[in-house]
DNA sequence: CTGTTAGCGCCTTCAC
DNA sequence: GTGAAGGCGCTAACAG
């Protein structure tokens, strides 16, 4: 029924081993022989049996890319870039390519582990984990163990936009400077004169959430110390109870909307809202407008990530740019061994402030 | 080094065959035996060898989902929904799950075929193709042939948000009513009084592009016939040369921006711009604003898809809603055989007009 | 440079 | 309900 390597060998009048060699291209074969084999492959419309090949070779050409939310362009951009970088070297004829494949965990720790097991089962050549990690100690331990096993089995592990993990299982880590980005964004608002700033944070247990928030708080703490109790140059002092001005929620539009309504209810004198990311910021903008307030005259709003739609928001969204595409490409190359890991295995990727129209000096009270 | 099924059998004091039976769960095994085997699996931290298993069984648990652009939420939402639907039935312990995996073609026909070959190689259990198809006859023929081979090998093929293909290879097709959506959107604008409407279309050779445009043109042709030469109730007659008011380009923000500038240069009297999708519409909005025109007072703008950000655009974007999530879930279930195919194998999914603030009656001249 | 020989780890009839 | 044996299709030493 299905044509096998032996059939090709018969038609080309060579041994199966020779066919295997020309197909894998990692062994010298006479040009004329190769020619004959390739022709037989075409004539028979032969397709290699992946499982058989993987079984015999004890490796596969599968590369897994794990993302938290495939519907979020934040992950889509990174994953697409990584997939492209991995798919390169395509000889057109589906020769030695890897099958780069993205797996959507939906942010669920169980599914994250399940996917890793599934990939382990397939003897994946490499695994790329993208985006923030969960801070639950049990889950971290489970992940470390799982990654260690994968590495043992020869799978390359790359982290992209994710904090470093202890243990030697990880080949390379590309981590975003979320803390620095958060800090610079807050400093930008402070420089404009803002002191009462609401913060719509992401899910509490995620590293990305914590780091961005820490950067934000650090900037506020610094100005608080400098200004003294009188509030310095800005509109009053930095409020003491930052917790009250922070609301956690998922990384979606709805969370931004609801949290912003609540923040402005708790403290109608807020002059700015900072959101966990651009999507959340969009929701925040909608809430501000629905309250009859203007952006940025009445309330400034800022996001994070600089997704493609952010520049088209009205007013254009002030945010922090993360080089998602570049990071994805690099992660892909790292996973394929096309690029040497950074010194120490860890590279920090900068986050750049993009000051646009959604932030401005606060209205004088 | 790596623990095999035989190791588990030895530890559980049963035969390899028995271990296989409890792992696959498709054969009666005594409860006590099963218990013992499962314990051994846990103690040894055994992970099934996928390739070996697939080779012996001649099937794999891999399911491929092909998308044109993973960074576009249009595809992300469908793919995520499909992946979730396929991943269901997870017994928690990575038992009988499928490995649902998304492949990004980047809209390239070669990569589409390459991915199918790769999936064929892996003996994928099912393949879901999402989004519009290329209309190049050669590519269509190649795709049909490839899908036929996949189907022959036992792979289920499902089309989601894609036009039907001839040939019996496809198990089920879910196709969007792009034509109807385009028509209803145009009718909405016509009812508001618009007659001179610019159209920023997608890539010329894609079915989605053509169908949406056809719907649009059909509505205009109808009103043109009804109004007669005097222009009827609207602001003047429907222009004859629709080609001149149509510009093709990729499905991205930039294309919308550039094409809109060009359209308004060609005909400054346009009262509305219709975009191929919401992302393009965002670019169109930016261009209109940069020309110093107001939306919708000076120019109405509309999109297609109703992606999550569209409701937060300012003004909120009039668009056509496609039930992407529902379609994705259904495609996933179809791929898993959890749901019977629609009668005739083809189901058309409706497209609903979402009239919002970015469209209004044209200013009187 | 090419052919021969063993398995890779598992599933699946068959017997019991 | 369980064990024994053969083979799935390919690759990787070895020879030659």
């Amino acid at each position: 029924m299905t044509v096998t390597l032996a059939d090709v060998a018969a038609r080309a009048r060579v041994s199966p081993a020779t066919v295997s060699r020309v197909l894998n291209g990692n062994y010298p074969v006479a040009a004329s022989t190769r020619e004959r084999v390739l022709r037989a492959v075409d004539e028979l419309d032969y397709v290699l049996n992946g499982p058989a090949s993987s079984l015999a070779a004890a490796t596969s050409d599968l590369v897994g890319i794990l993302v938290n939310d495939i519907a979020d362009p934040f992950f889509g951009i990174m994953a697409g870039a990584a997939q492209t970088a991995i798919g390169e070297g395509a000889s057109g004829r589906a020769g030695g390519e890897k099958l780069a494949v993205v797996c959507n965990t939906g942010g669920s720790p169980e599914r994250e582990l399940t996917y890793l097991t599934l990939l382990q089962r397939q003897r994946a050549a490499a695994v790329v984990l993208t985006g923030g990690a969960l801070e639950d100690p049990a889950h971290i331990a489970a992940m470390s163990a799982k990654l260690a096993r994968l590495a043992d089995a020869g799978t390359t592990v790359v982290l992209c936009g994710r904090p470093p993990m202890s243990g030697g299982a990880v080949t390379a880590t590309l981590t975003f400077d979320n803390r620095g980005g958060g800090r610079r964004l807050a400093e930008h608002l402070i420089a404009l004169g803002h002191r009462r700033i609401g913060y719509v944070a992401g899910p509490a247990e995620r590293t990305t959430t914590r780091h961005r928030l820490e950067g934000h708080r650090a900037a506020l703490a610094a100005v608080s110390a400098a200004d003294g109790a009188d509030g310095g140059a800005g509109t009053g002092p930095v409020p003491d109870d930052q917790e009250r001005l922070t609301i956690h929620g998922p990384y979606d539009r709805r969370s931004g909307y609801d949290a912003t309504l609540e923040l402005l209810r708790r403290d109608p004198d807020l002059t700015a809202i900072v959101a966990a990311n651009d999507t959340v910021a969009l929701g925040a903008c909608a809430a501000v407008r629905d309250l009859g307030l203007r952006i940025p005259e009445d309330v400034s709003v800022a996001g994070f990530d600089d997704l493609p739609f952010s520049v088209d928001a009205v007013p254009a969204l002030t945010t922090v740019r993360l080089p998602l595409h570049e990071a994805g490409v690099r992660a892909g190359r790292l996973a394929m061994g096309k690029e040497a890991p950074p010194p120490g295995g860890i590279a920090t990727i900068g986050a750049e402030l993009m000051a646009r129209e959604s932030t401005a000096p606060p209205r004088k009270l």
Side-chain angles (χ1 to χ4, degrees), chain A:
Chain A
M1 193 63 233
T2 96
V3 23
T4 76
L5 185 145
D7 298 331
V8 176
R11 198 174 213 307
R13 313 193 149 285
V14 295
S15 73
T18 300
V19 177
S20 172
R21 292 197 261 256
V22 338
L23 257 31
N24 291 306
N26 41 8
Y27 217 80
V29 174
S32 64
T33 311
R34 158 193 273 84
E35 183 58 34
R36 210 141 32 90
V37 169
L38 255 22
R39 194 145 36 80
V41 167
D42 266 11
E43 291 168 351
L44 264 37
D45 205 12
Y46 170 69
V47 174
L48 190 69
N49 184 317
S53 166
S54 299
L55 172 58
T59 62
S60 88
D61 53 4
L62 200 76
V63 175
I65 302 170
L66 266 63
V67 302
N68 286 339
D69 181 5
I70 198 178
D72 185 340
F74 174 82
F75 292 101
I77 291 170
M78 276 195 292
Q83 201 162 25
T84 302
I86 291 167
E88 303 287 72
S91 45
R93 154 196 240 85
E97 301 93 354
K98 303 293 182 188
L99 210 202
V101 116
V102 359
C103 307
N104 186 35
T105 66
S108 149
E110 297 80 35
R111 295 191 55 187
E112 185 165 59
L113 284 166
T114 299
Y115 268 122
L116 286 179
T117 299
L118 256 18
L119 288 165
Q120 182 182 2
R121 224 182 238 189
Q122 303 294 333
R123 304 299 187 254
V127 169
V128 178
L129 302 178
T130 66
L134 221 52
E135 300 205 293
D136 174 45
H139 184 242
I140 290 174
M143 287 292 287
S144 297
K146 185 56 95 181
L147 291 180
R149 294 200 177 293
L150 277 162
D152 274 357
T155 299
T156 303
V157 179
V158 174
L159 269 35
C160 178
R162 202 177 175 100
M165 297 184 69
S166 56
V170 177
T171 298
T173 300
L174 303 178
T175 185
F176 291 134
D177 182 19
N178 283 308
R179 213 180 255 107
R183 184 169 47 69
R184 279 188 286 284
L185 181 54
E187 286 168 353
H188 162 72
L189 290 169
I190 289 165
L192 289 172
H194 294 274
R195 291 299 180 274
R196 305 187 78 81
I197 305 174
Y199 195 98
V200 184
E205 64 286 359
R206 301 222 148 246
T207 52
T208 305
T209 299
R210 184 165 61 78
H211 294 160
R212 291 179 183 180
L213 185 51
E214 282 175 2
H216 179 78
R217 294 262 175 92
L220 285 177
V223 73
S224 184
D227 282 359
D230 65 340
T235 56
V238 172
D240 286 332
D241 192 4
Q242 286 296 322
E243 288 302 337
R244 193 163 156 278
L245 300 186
T246 304
I247 293 182
H248 288 273
Y251 281 118
D252 62 25
R253 187 249 171 205
R254 174 68 181 276
S255 165
Y257 188 91
D258 293 346
T260 298
L261 291 185
E262 171 62 17
L263 284 171
L264 285 170
R265 195 190 61 69
R266 286 188 194 169
D267 186 347
D269 293 334
L270 291 181
T271 60
I273 301 281
V274 174
N277 72 13
D278 290 352
T279 304
V280 175
L282 237 44
C285 287
V288 169
R289 275 193 305 271
D290 284 359
L291 288 172
L293 300 170
R294 291 162 305 164
I295 305 168
E297 293 82 354
D298 299 315
V299 179
S300 287
V301 177
F304 210 111
D305 292 345
D306 194 22
L307 296 185
F309 60 73
S310 301
V311 69
D312 286 323
V314 179
L317 194 64
T318 290
T319 184
V320 176
R321 165 176 269 279
L322 254 25
L324 300 174
H325 187 85
E326 294 78 355
V329 168
R330 194 163 166 203
R333 293 175 51 78
L334 249 8
M336 299 295 292
K338 287 182 192 163
E339 185 174 318
I346 300 176
T348 298
I349 295 182
E352 179 192 2
L353 174 68
M354 305 295 285
R356 294 201 273 243
E357 286 81 54
S358 70
T359 50
R363 194 184 32 188
K364 295 296 176 241
L365 295 177

